[in-house]
Short mmCIF file of all heavy atoms in Angstrom, two decimals:
data_model
loop_
_atom_site.label_atom_id
_atom_site.label_comp_id
_atom_site.label_asym_id
_atom_site.label_seq_id
_atom_site.Cartn_x
_atom_site.Cartn_y
_atom_site.Cartn_z
N PHE A 1320 -22.32 91.31 -41.40
CA PHE A 1320 -21.47 90.21 -41.89
C PHE A 1320 -21.52 89.13 -40.65
O PHE A 1320 -21.23 89.44 -39.55
CB PHE A 1320 -19.99 90.65 -42.05
CG PHE A 1320 -19.15 89.52 -42.46
CD1 PHE A 1320 -18.92 89.03 -43.65
CD2 PHE A 1320 -18.38 88.92 -41.53
CE1 PHE A 1320 -18.26 87.95 -44.05
CE2 PHE A 1320 -17.55 87.76 -41.71
CZ PHE A 1320 -17.55 87.36 -42.98
N HIS A 1321 -21.80 87.87 -40.91
CA HIS A 1321 -21.79 86.84 -39.99
C HIS A 1321 -20.83 85.72 -40.45
O HIS A 1321 -21.05 85.09 -41.47
CB HIS A 1321 -23.28 86.20 -39.90
CG HIS A 1321 -24.13 87.15 -39.28
ND1 HIS A 1321 -25.52 86.91 -39.11
CD2 HIS A 1321 -23.98 88.43 -38.72
CE1 HIS A 1321 -26.19 87.84 -38.51
NE2 HIS A 1321 -25.24 88.82 -38.32
N GLY A 1322 -19.80 85.56 -39.70
CA GLY A 1322 -18.88 84.51 -39.91
C GLY A 1322 -19.27 83.28 -39.11
O GLY A 1322 -18.67 83.07 -38.02
N THR A 1323 -20.10 82.40 -39.67
CA THR A 1323 -20.61 81.26 -38.91
C THR A 1323 -19.87 79.97 -39.33
O THR A 1323 -19.98 79.00 -38.61
CB THR A 1323 -22.12 81.04 -39.28
OG1 THR A 1323 -22.16 80.78 -40.78
CG2 THR A 1323 -22.82 82.40 -38.95
N GLY A 1324 -19.08 79.98 -40.36
CA GLY A 1324 -18.37 78.78 -40.71
C GLY A 1324 -16.95 78.73 -40.20
O GLY A 1324 -16.68 79.46 -39.41
N SER A 1325 -16.29 77.60 -40.50
CA SER A 1325 -14.87 77.46 -40.03
C SER A 1325 -13.89 77.99 -40.80
O SER A 1325 -12.57 77.78 -40.68
CB SER A 1325 -14.67 75.90 -39.73
OG SER A 1325 -14.80 75.29 -41.09
N GLY A 1326 -14.17 78.77 -41.88
CA GLY A 1326 -13.19 79.25 -42.87
C GLY A 1326 -12.63 80.56 -42.44
O GLY A 1326 -12.67 80.98 -41.33
N LYS A 1327 -12.06 81.33 -43.41
CA LYS A 1327 -11.44 82.60 -43.21
C LYS A 1327 -12.19 83.64 -44.06
O LYS A 1327 -12.76 83.27 -45.06
CB LYS A 1327 -9.96 82.52 -43.78
CG LYS A 1327 -9.13 81.47 -43.01
CD LYS A 1327 -7.69 81.39 -43.71
CE LYS A 1327 -6.88 80.40 -42.97
NZ LYS A 1327 -5.51 80.36 -43.53
N SER A 1328 -12.19 84.71 -43.57
CA SER A 1328 -12.79 86.05 -44.23
C SER A 1328 -11.93 87.16 -44.21
O SER A 1328 -11.13 87.44 -43.14
CB SER A 1328 -14.07 86.30 -43.67
OG SER A 1328 -14.98 85.23 -43.94
N PHE A 1329 -11.95 87.97 -45.23
CA PHE A 1329 -11.19 89.19 -45.41
C PHE A 1329 -12.00 90.39 -45.84
O PHE A 1329 -12.84 90.27 -46.68
CB PHE A 1329 -10.01 88.95 -46.38
CG PHE A 1329 -8.98 88.02 -45.91
CD1 PHE A 1329 -9.20 86.67 -46.27
CD2 PHE A 1329 -7.78 88.36 -45.42
CE1 PHE A 1329 -8.30 85.76 -45.97
CE2 PHE A 1329 -6.84 87.42 -45.02
CZ PHE A 1329 -7.15 86.10 -45.44
N ILE A 1330 -11.87 91.56 -45.11
CA ILE A 1330 -12.53 92.79 -45.49
C ILE A 1330 -11.49 93.76 -45.84
O ILE A 1330 -10.51 93.98 -45.12
CB ILE A 1330 -13.35 93.19 -44.23
CG1 ILE A 1330 -14.38 92.24 -43.94
CG2 ILE A 1330 -13.90 94.67 -44.59
CD1 ILE A 1330 -15.55 92.13 -45.05
N VAL A 1331 -11.50 94.46 -47.02
CA VAL A 1331 -10.68 95.35 -47.48
C VAL A 1331 -11.50 96.56 -48.04
O VAL A 1331 -12.30 96.55 -49.05
CB VAL A 1331 -9.80 95.08 -48.61
CG1 VAL A 1331 -8.77 96.03 -49.03
CG2 VAL A 1331 -8.99 93.67 -48.17
N ASP A 1332 -11.40 97.72 -47.19
CA ASP A 1332 -12.06 98.81 -47.61
C ASP A 1332 -13.66 98.79 -47.88
O ASP A 1332 -14.24 98.76 -48.90
CB ASP A 1332 -11.53 99.42 -49.04
CG ASP A 1332 -12.05 100.80 -49.40
OD1 ASP A 1332 -12.36 101.65 -48.68
OD2 ASP A 1332 -12.29 100.99 -50.64
N VAL A 1333 -14.29 98.66 -46.60
CA VAL A 1333 -15.65 98.17 -46.59
C VAL A 1333 -16.42 99.15 -45.57
O VAL A 1333 -15.92 99.33 -44.53
CB VAL A 1333 -15.89 96.76 -46.25
CG1 VAL A 1333 -17.38 96.33 -45.91
CG2 VAL A 1333 -15.34 95.79 -47.36
N ILE A 1334 -17.66 99.51 -45.92
CA ILE A 1334 -18.46 100.24 -45.04
C ILE A 1334 -19.72 99.47 -44.64
O ILE A 1334 -20.24 98.77 -45.60
CB ILE A 1334 -19.02 101.54 -45.44
CG1 ILE A 1334 -20.01 102.23 -44.57
CG2 ILE A 1334 -19.58 101.55 -46.90
CD1 ILE A 1334 -20.43 103.54 -44.78
N GLY A 1335 -20.09 99.18 -43.49
CA GLY A 1335 -21.25 98.36 -43.06
C GLY A 1335 -21.12 98.08 -41.50
O GLY A 1335 -20.10 98.17 -40.96
N LYS A 1336 -22.17 97.71 -40.98
CA LYS A 1336 -22.26 97.41 -39.56
C LYS A 1336 -22.79 96.07 -39.27
O LYS A 1336 -23.42 95.38 -40.14
CB LYS A 1336 -23.14 98.50 -38.91
CG LYS A 1336 -24.53 98.36 -39.29
CD LYS A 1336 -25.53 99.27 -38.56
CE LYS A 1336 -26.93 99.14 -39.04
NZ LYS A 1336 -27.89 100.17 -38.41
N GLY A 1337 -22.61 95.69 -38.00
CA GLY A 1337 -23.12 94.45 -37.72
C GLY A 1337 -22.28 93.15 -38.01
O GLY A 1337 -22.72 92.20 -38.56
N TYR A 1338 -21.04 93.19 -37.49
CA TYR A 1338 -20.06 92.10 -37.73
C TYR A 1338 -20.21 91.00 -36.56
O TYR A 1338 -20.28 91.52 -35.30
CB TYR A 1338 -18.69 92.49 -37.76
CG TYR A 1338 -18.39 93.24 -39.02
CD1 TYR A 1338 -18.65 94.58 -39.16
CD2 TYR A 1338 -17.69 92.66 -40.01
CE1 TYR A 1338 -18.38 95.18 -40.42
CE2 TYR A 1338 -17.43 93.26 -41.22
CZ TYR A 1338 -17.68 94.65 -41.43
OH TYR A 1338 -17.35 95.26 -42.56
N VAL A 1339 -20.43 89.80 -36.75
CA VAL A 1339 -20.45 88.85 -35.79
C VAL A 1339 -19.46 87.64 -36.23
O VAL A 1339 -19.79 86.98 -37.24
CB VAL A 1339 -21.84 88.27 -35.53
CG1 VAL A 1339 -21.81 87.11 -34.48
CG2 VAL A 1339 -22.93 89.31 -35.19
N ILE A 1340 -18.41 87.58 -35.61
CA ILE A 1340 -17.42 86.63 -35.93
C ILE A 1340 -17.45 85.49 -35.03
O ILE A 1340 -17.35 85.48 -33.85
CB ILE A 1340 -16.01 87.18 -35.90
CG1 ILE A 1340 -15.91 88.50 -36.61
CG2 ILE A 1340 -14.93 86.12 -36.40
CD1 ILE A 1340 -16.21 88.45 -38.09
N GLY A 1341 -17.96 84.26 -35.64
CA GLY A 1341 -18.27 83.07 -34.79
C GLY A 1341 -17.04 82.37 -34.19
O GLY A 1341 -15.74 82.63 -34.56
N PRO A 1342 -17.10 81.45 -33.37
CA PRO A 1342 -16.02 80.91 -32.61
C PRO A 1342 -14.98 80.18 -33.39
O PRO A 1342 -13.82 79.90 -33.01
CB PRO A 1342 -16.61 79.91 -31.49
CG PRO A 1342 -18.03 79.64 -32.01
CD PRO A 1342 -18.36 80.90 -32.76
N LYS A 1343 -15.40 79.63 -34.68
CA LYS A 1343 -14.55 78.82 -35.43
C LYS A 1343 -13.90 79.66 -36.50
O LYS A 1343 -13.07 79.12 -37.40
CB LYS A 1343 -15.26 77.63 -36.07
CG LYS A 1343 -15.72 76.58 -34.95
CD LYS A 1343 -16.45 75.40 -35.65
CE LYS A 1343 -17.01 74.44 -34.57
NZ LYS A 1343 -17.62 73.36 -35.31
N HIS A 1344 -14.35 80.94 -36.64
CA HIS A 1344 -14.01 81.77 -37.77
C HIS A 1344 -12.74 82.56 -37.55
O HIS A 1344 -12.36 82.91 -36.49
CB HIS A 1344 -15.16 82.73 -38.11
CG HIS A 1344 -15.33 83.01 -39.51
ND1 HIS A 1344 -15.70 82.14 -40.43
CD2 HIS A 1344 -14.97 84.20 -40.30
CE1 HIS A 1344 -15.74 82.58 -41.65
NE2 HIS A 1344 -15.31 83.94 -41.59
N HIS A 1345 -11.93 82.75 -38.69
CA HIS A 1345 -10.66 83.65 -38.56
C HIS A 1345 -11.02 84.79 -39.54
O HIS A 1345 -11.40 84.72 -40.80
CB HIS A 1345 -9.59 82.90 -39.04
CG HIS A 1345 -9.17 81.73 -38.14
ND1 HIS A 1345 -9.74 80.68 -38.21
CD2 HIS A 1345 -8.06 81.83 -37.23
CE1 HIS A 1345 -9.12 79.91 -37.03
NE2 HIS A 1345 -8.12 80.52 -36.67
N PHE A 1346 -10.77 85.97 -39.13
CA PHE A 1346 -11.15 87.25 -39.89
C PHE A 1346 -9.99 88.31 -39.92
O PHE A 1346 -9.42 88.52 -38.78
CB PHE A 1346 -12.37 87.80 -38.95
CG PHE A 1346 -12.97 89.12 -39.58
CD1 PHE A 1346 -13.93 89.17 -40.55
CD2 PHE A 1346 -12.46 90.41 -39.20
CE1 PHE A 1346 -14.34 90.36 -41.02
CE2 PHE A 1346 -13.07 91.52 -39.54
CZ PHE A 1346 -13.88 91.55 -40.51
N TRP A 1347 -9.80 88.88 -41.01
CA TRP A 1347 -8.79 90.00 -41.10
C TRP A 1347 -9.42 91.15 -41.82
O TRP A 1347 -10.19 90.88 -42.87
CB TRP A 1347 -7.54 89.50 -41.91
CG TRP A 1347 -6.81 88.57 -41.24
CD1 TRP A 1347 -5.57 88.77 -40.50
CD2 TRP A 1347 -6.90 87.08 -41.24
NE1 TRP A 1347 -5.04 87.63 -40.08
CE2 TRP A 1347 -5.78 86.56 -40.51
CE3 TRP A 1347 -7.82 86.22 -41.83
CZ2 TRP A 1347 -5.72 85.19 -40.26
CZ3 TRP A 1347 -7.81 84.95 -41.65
CH2 TRP A 1347 -6.62 84.36 -40.96
N ALA A 1348 -9.12 92.34 -41.37
CA ALA A 1348 -9.89 93.68 -41.94
C ALA A 1348 -8.78 94.67 -42.18
O ALA A 1348 -7.92 94.89 -41.36
CB ALA A 1348 -10.93 94.10 -41.15
N ARG A 1349 -8.91 95.24 -43.37
CA ARG A 1349 -8.07 96.52 -43.70
C ARG A 1349 -9.23 97.58 -43.96
O ARG A 1349 -9.93 97.48 -44.95
CB ARG A 1349 -7.22 96.31 -44.85
CG ARG A 1349 -5.93 95.48 -44.49
CD ARG A 1349 -6.00 94.19 -44.61
NE ARG A 1349 -4.65 93.47 -44.67
CZ ARG A 1349 -4.45 92.06 -44.41
NH1 ARG A 1349 -5.54 91.44 -44.29
NH2 ARG A 1349 -3.42 91.66 -44.38
N GLN A 1350 -9.28 98.55 -43.26
CA GLN A 1350 -10.21 99.73 -43.42
C GLN A 1350 -11.60 99.29 -43.33
O GLN A 1350 -12.25 98.97 -44.28
CB GLN A 1350 -10.03 100.44 -44.83
CG GLN A 1350 -10.53 101.83 -44.90
CD GLN A 1350 -12.02 102.08 -44.72
OE1 GLN A 1350 -12.41 102.07 -43.65
NE2 GLN A 1350 -12.76 102.16 -45.89
N LEU A 1351 -12.07 99.17 -42.06
CA LEU A 1351 -13.28 98.76 -41.81
C LEU A 1351 -14.11 99.84 -41.13
O LEU A 1351 -13.72 100.43 -39.99
CB LEU A 1351 -13.39 97.50 -40.75
CG LEU A 1351 -14.54 96.74 -40.39
CD1 LEU A 1351 -14.29 95.37 -39.97
CD2 LEU A 1351 -15.58 97.52 -39.40
N ASN A 1352 -15.19 100.34 -41.91
CA ASN A 1352 -15.97 101.47 -41.32
C ASN A 1352 -17.21 101.07 -40.90
O ASN A 1352 -18.03 100.43 -41.76
CB ASN A 1352 -16.10 102.55 -42.45
CG ASN A 1352 -16.87 103.93 -41.94
OD1 ASN A 1352 -16.20 104.57 -41.08
ND2 ASN A 1352 -17.99 103.94 -42.31
N ALA A 1353 -17.80 101.13 -39.61
CA ALA A 1353 -19.04 100.70 -39.17
C ALA A 1353 -19.80 101.70 -38.47
O ALA A 1353 -19.17 102.63 -37.74
CB ALA A 1353 -18.77 99.63 -38.21
N GLU A 1354 -21.07 101.83 -38.83
CA GLU A 1354 -21.80 103.05 -38.28
C GLU A 1354 -23.27 102.73 -37.83
O GLU A 1354 -23.88 101.88 -38.47
CB GLU A 1354 -21.97 104.10 -39.51
CG GLU A 1354 -20.57 104.64 -39.97
CD GLU A 1354 -20.73 105.76 -41.03
OE1 GLU A 1354 -21.94 106.17 -41.34
OE2 GLU A 1354 -19.77 106.17 -41.59
N PHE A 1355 -23.59 103.29 -36.72
CA PHE A 1355 -25.04 103.43 -36.39
C PHE A 1355 -25.71 102.12 -35.83
O PHE A 1355 -25.14 101.06 -36.05
CB PHE A 1355 -25.83 104.17 -37.35
CG PHE A 1355 -25.34 105.53 -37.70
CD1 PHE A 1355 -24.84 105.78 -38.90
CD2 PHE A 1355 -25.32 106.55 -36.63
CE1 PHE A 1355 -24.29 106.97 -39.20
CE2 PHE A 1355 -24.82 107.77 -37.04
CZ PHE A 1355 -24.30 107.99 -38.34
N GLY A 1356 -26.75 102.26 -35.25
CA GLY A 1356 -27.57 101.18 -34.75
C GLY A 1356 -27.67 101.02 -33.26
O GLY A 1356 -26.82 101.77 -32.52
N ASN A 1357 -28.33 100.19 -32.68
CA ASN A 1357 -28.36 99.95 -31.15
C ASN A 1357 -27.54 98.69 -30.82
O ASN A 1357 -27.37 98.47 -29.72
CB ASN A 1357 -29.82 99.86 -30.63
CG ASN A 1357 -30.45 101.22 -30.88
OD1 ASN A 1357 -31.47 101.39 -31.60
ND2 ASN A 1357 -30.02 102.24 -30.24
N GLU A 1358 -27.31 97.80 -31.81
CA GLU A 1358 -26.49 96.61 -31.51
C GLU A 1358 -24.91 96.95 -31.60
O GLU A 1358 -24.53 97.90 -32.17
CB GLU A 1358 -26.91 95.44 -32.35
CG GLU A 1358 -28.36 95.12 -32.31
CD GLU A 1358 -28.72 94.58 -31.11
OE1 GLU A 1358 -27.90 93.78 -30.35
OE2 GLU A 1358 -29.86 94.94 -30.49
N PRO A 1359 -24.12 96.07 -30.93
CA PRO A 1359 -22.64 96.31 -31.04
C PRO A 1359 -22.30 96.31 -32.62
O PRO A 1359 -22.84 95.49 -33.42
CB PRO A 1359 -22.20 95.18 -30.30
CG PRO A 1359 -23.05 94.76 -29.32
CD PRO A 1359 -24.50 95.02 -29.99
N LEU A 1360 -21.44 97.16 -32.94
CA LEU A 1360 -20.81 97.25 -34.24
C LEU A 1360 -20.12 96.08 -34.71
O LEU A 1360 -19.96 95.65 -35.84
CB LEU A 1360 -20.18 98.54 -34.55
CG LEU A 1360 -21.05 99.85 -34.33
CD1 LEU A 1360 -20.11 101.13 -34.38
CD2 LEU A 1360 -21.96 99.93 -35.48
N PHE A 1361 -19.36 95.56 -33.74
CA PHE A 1361 -18.46 94.28 -34.03
C PHE A 1361 -18.53 93.45 -32.88
O PHE A 1361 -18.06 93.86 -31.73
CB PHE A 1361 -17.11 94.92 -34.30
CG PHE A 1361 -16.21 93.94 -34.96
CD1 PHE A 1361 -16.05 93.81 -36.34
CD2 PHE A 1361 -15.47 92.96 -34.19
CE1 PHE A 1361 -15.11 92.96 -36.90
CE2 PHE A 1361 -14.63 92.04 -34.74
CZ PHE A 1361 -14.48 91.91 -36.10
N ILE A 1362 -18.84 92.12 -33.01
CA ILE A 1362 -18.74 91.13 -31.94
C ILE A 1362 -17.91 90.11 -32.52
O ILE A 1362 -17.99 89.52 -33.48
CB ILE A 1362 -20.13 90.53 -31.69
CG1 ILE A 1362 -21.14 91.65 -31.15
CG2 ILE A 1362 -20.03 89.39 -30.66
CD1 ILE A 1362 -22.49 91.17 -31.01
N ASN A 1363 -16.81 89.72 -31.53
CA ASN A 1363 -15.89 88.69 -31.89
C ASN A 1363 -16.03 87.60 -30.83
O ASN A 1363 -15.72 87.83 -29.68
CB ASN A 1363 -14.50 89.18 -32.04
CG ASN A 1363 -13.45 88.16 -32.38
OD1 ASN A 1363 -13.68 87.39 -33.36
ND2 ASN A 1363 -12.45 87.92 -31.43
N GLU A 1364 -16.10 86.30 -31.42
CA GLU A 1364 -15.99 85.15 -30.51
C GLU A 1364 -14.97 84.22 -31.17
O GLU A 1364 -14.69 83.21 -30.65
CB GLU A 1364 -17.28 84.37 -30.39
CG GLU A 1364 -18.36 85.31 -29.66
CD GLU A 1364 -19.68 84.59 -29.61
OE1 GLU A 1364 -19.87 83.49 -30.24
OE2 GLU A 1364 -20.65 85.10 -28.93
N GLY A 1365 -14.41 84.68 -32.26
CA GLY A 1365 -13.28 83.87 -32.97
C GLY A 1365 -11.96 84.45 -32.91
O GLY A 1365 -11.60 84.91 -31.76
N THR A 1366 -11.18 84.61 -34.07
CA THR A 1366 -10.03 85.26 -33.98
C THR A 1366 -10.17 86.40 -35.07
O THR A 1366 -10.53 86.16 -36.28
CB THR A 1366 -8.84 84.46 -34.56
OG1 THR A 1366 -8.89 83.35 -33.61
CG2 THR A 1366 -7.62 85.11 -34.62
N ALA A 1367 -9.96 87.73 -34.64
CA ALA A 1367 -10.17 88.80 -35.53
C ALA A 1367 -8.88 89.84 -35.47
O ALA A 1367 -8.51 90.08 -34.42
CB ALA A 1367 -11.48 89.48 -35.16
N TRP A 1368 -8.55 90.32 -36.54
CA TRP A 1368 -7.38 91.29 -36.66
C TRP A 1368 -7.84 92.36 -37.57
O TRP A 1368 -8.44 92.08 -38.69
CB TRP A 1368 -6.14 90.58 -37.36
CG TRP A 1368 -5.02 91.50 -37.56
CD1 TRP A 1368 -3.85 91.61 -36.76
CD2 TRP A 1368 -4.62 92.20 -38.70
NE1 TRP A 1368 -3.00 92.45 -37.14
CE2 TRP A 1368 -3.50 92.86 -38.34
CE3 TRP A 1368 -5.29 92.53 -39.87
CZ2 TRP A 1368 -2.80 93.71 -39.23
CZ3 TRP A 1368 -4.64 93.38 -40.65
CH2 TRP A 1368 -3.46 94.02 -40.51
N ILE A 1369 -7.60 93.62 -37.12
CA ILE A 1369 -8.18 94.82 -37.81
C ILE A 1369 -7.10 95.80 -37.98
O ILE A 1369 -6.57 96.25 -36.96
CB ILE A 1369 -9.41 95.53 -37.09
CG1 ILE A 1369 -10.51 94.40 -36.94
CG2 ILE A 1369 -10.03 96.64 -37.96
CD1 ILE A 1369 -11.73 94.80 -36.06
N SER A 1370 -6.86 96.29 -39.08
CA SER A 1370 -5.96 97.44 -39.31
C SER A 1370 -6.82 98.66 -39.91
O SER A 1370 -7.35 98.51 -40.99
CB SER A 1370 -4.89 97.10 -40.34
OG SER A 1370 -4.13 98.20 -40.70
N GLY A 1371 -6.95 99.77 -39.10
CA GLY A 1371 -7.87 100.86 -39.66
C GLY A 1371 -9.21 100.70 -39.30
O GLY A 1371 -9.94 100.09 -40.12
N PHE A 1372 -9.69 101.08 -38.34
CA PHE A 1372 -11.11 100.89 -37.87
C PHE A 1372 -11.67 102.29 -37.39
O PHE A 1372 -11.23 103.01 -36.63
CB PHE A 1372 -11.19 99.94 -36.62
CG PHE A 1372 -12.57 99.80 -36.06
CD1 PHE A 1372 -13.48 98.72 -36.66
CD2 PHE A 1372 -13.00 100.49 -34.94
CE1 PHE A 1372 -14.77 98.43 -36.11
CE2 PHE A 1372 -14.35 100.22 -34.50
CZ PHE A 1372 -15.16 99.39 -35.07
N LYS A 1373 -12.83 102.47 -38.13
CA LYS A 1373 -13.63 103.85 -37.68
C LYS A 1373 -15.03 103.42 -37.41
O LYS A 1373 -15.64 102.72 -38.21
CB LYS A 1373 -13.46 104.86 -38.85
CG LYS A 1373 -14.25 106.08 -38.56
CD LYS A 1373 -15.34 106.18 -39.52
CE LYS A 1373 -16.14 107.59 -39.38
NZ LYS A 1373 -17.40 107.55 -40.20
N MET A 1374 -15.52 103.91 -36.28
CA MET A 1374 -16.88 103.71 -35.94
C MET A 1374 -17.54 105.09 -35.78
O MET A 1374 -16.97 106.08 -35.65
CB MET A 1374 -17.01 102.90 -34.53
CG MET A 1374 -16.37 103.71 -33.39
SD MET A 1374 -17.31 105.01 -32.62
CE MET A 1374 -18.54 104.24 -31.95
N GLU A 1375 -18.90 105.04 -36.12
CA GLU A 1375 -19.72 106.29 -35.94
C GLU A 1375 -21.04 105.87 -35.42
O GLU A 1375 -21.79 105.29 -35.95
CB GLU A 1375 -19.80 106.94 -37.46
CG GLU A 1375 -20.56 108.33 -37.31
CD GLU A 1375 -20.56 109.07 -38.65
OE1 GLU A 1375 -19.62 108.66 -39.44
OE2 GLU A 1375 -21.34 109.83 -38.71
N SER A 1376 -21.26 106.35 -34.14
CA SER A 1376 -22.48 106.02 -33.52
C SER A 1376 -22.67 107.01 -32.31
O SER A 1376 -21.90 107.91 -32.11
CB SER A 1376 -22.41 104.54 -32.94
OG SER A 1376 -21.42 104.43 -32.09
N SER A 1377 -23.78 106.73 -31.52
CA SER A 1377 -24.09 107.49 -30.42
C SER A 1377 -23.94 106.85 -29.18
O SER A 1377 -24.14 105.62 -28.96
CB SER A 1377 -25.50 107.99 -30.43
OG SER A 1377 -25.77 108.76 -31.55
N THR A 1378 -23.34 107.56 -28.17
CA THR A 1378 -23.25 106.86 -26.88
C THR A 1378 -24.54 106.82 -26.11
O THR A 1378 -24.74 106.07 -25.19
CB THR A 1378 -22.24 107.63 -25.92
OG1 THR A 1378 -22.71 109.08 -25.78
CG2 THR A 1378 -20.86 107.52 -26.58
N ARG A 1379 -25.55 107.66 -26.38
CA ARG A 1379 -26.88 107.67 -25.94
C ARG A 1379 -27.72 108.46 -26.92
O ARG A 1379 -27.29 109.52 -27.36
CB ARG A 1379 -26.85 108.18 -24.50
CG ARG A 1379 -28.40 108.11 -23.89
CD ARG A 1379 -28.37 108.81 -22.51
NE ARG A 1379 -27.55 108.17 -21.49
CZ ARG A 1379 -28.00 107.24 -20.62
NH1 ARG A 1379 -29.21 106.82 -20.86
NH2 ARG A 1379 -27.26 106.63 -19.84
N ASP A 1380 -28.96 107.98 -27.19
CA ASP A 1380 -29.63 108.57 -28.26
C ASP A 1380 -30.37 109.85 -27.60
O ASP A 1380 -30.33 110.11 -26.42
CB ASP A 1380 -30.66 107.69 -28.82
CG ASP A 1380 -31.74 107.22 -27.96
OD1 ASP A 1380 -32.03 107.83 -26.97
OD2 ASP A 1380 -32.41 106.26 -28.36
N ALA A 1381 -31.08 110.68 -28.46
CA ALA A 1381 -31.82 111.92 -27.96
C ALA A 1381 -32.76 111.67 -26.83
O ALA A 1381 -33.03 112.59 -26.07
CB ALA A 1381 -32.38 112.53 -29.10
N LYS A 1382 -33.31 110.47 -26.73
CA LYS A 1382 -34.34 110.18 -25.74
C LYS A 1382 -33.64 109.57 -24.43
O LYS A 1382 -34.42 109.06 -23.60
CB LYS A 1382 -35.49 109.15 -26.27
CG LYS A 1382 -36.15 109.84 -27.52
CD LYS A 1382 -37.30 108.86 -27.94
CE LYS A 1382 -38.08 109.52 -29.04
NZ LYS A 1382 -39.06 108.61 -29.67
N GLY A 1383 -32.34 109.51 -24.48
CA GLY A 1383 -31.73 108.82 -23.35
C GLY A 1383 -31.47 107.31 -23.26
O GLY A 1383 -31.26 106.78 -22.35
N ASN A 1384 -31.90 106.72 -24.46
CA ASN A 1384 -31.76 105.28 -24.44
C ASN A 1384 -30.36 104.84 -24.72
O ASN A 1384 -29.40 105.67 -25.09
CB ASN A 1384 -32.71 104.83 -25.65
CG ASN A 1384 -34.11 105.10 -25.59
OD1 ASN A 1384 -34.71 104.99 -24.46
ND2 ASN A 1384 -34.80 105.59 -26.56
N THR A 1385 -30.21 103.56 -24.55
CA THR A 1385 -28.77 103.03 -24.67
C THR A 1385 -28.24 103.25 -26.01
O THR A 1385 -28.98 103.19 -27.08
CB THR A 1385 -28.87 101.58 -24.49
OG1 THR A 1385 -29.24 101.18 -23.15
CG2 THR A 1385 -27.47 100.94 -24.64
N GLY A 1386 -27.01 103.73 -26.06
CA GLY A 1386 -26.43 103.96 -27.46
C GLY A 1386 -25.81 102.74 -28.05
O GLY A 1386 -26.22 101.55 -27.85
N THR A 1387 -24.79 102.87 -28.93
CA THR A 1387 -24.13 101.79 -29.67
C THR A 1387 -22.88 101.37 -29.15
O THR A 1387 -21.98 102.12 -29.27
CB THR A 1387 -24.04 102.13 -31.17
OG1 THR A 1387 -25.28 102.71 -31.63
CG2 THR A 1387 -23.61 101.02 -32.06
#
Side-chain angles (χ1 to χ4, degrees):
F1320 178 87
H1321 292 176
T1323 60
S1325 60
K1327 301 175 180 179
S1328 293
F1329 296 83
I1330 293 293
V1331 181
D1332 184 36
V1333 172
I1334 176 174
K1336 66 180 180 181
Y1338 290 82
V1339 180
I1340 310 304
K1343 297 181 180 180
H1344 212 71
H1345 292 76
F1346 177 90
W1347 291 265
R1349 282 89 170 164
Q1350 204 298 84
L1351 189 158
N1352 183 74
E1354 300 185 4
F1355 302 111
N1357 296 114
E1358 299 298 321
L1360 296 172
F1361 194 98
I1362 297 173
N1363 177 58
E1364 297 178 351
T1366 302
W1368 179 92
I1369 304 172
S1370 171
F1372 176 85
K1373 177 248 182 184
M1374 58 79 70
E1375 185 170 340
S1376 63
S1377 297
T1378 55
R1379 186 185 290 274
D1380 68 21
K1382 296 181 180 179
N1384 299 317
T1385 299
T1387 308

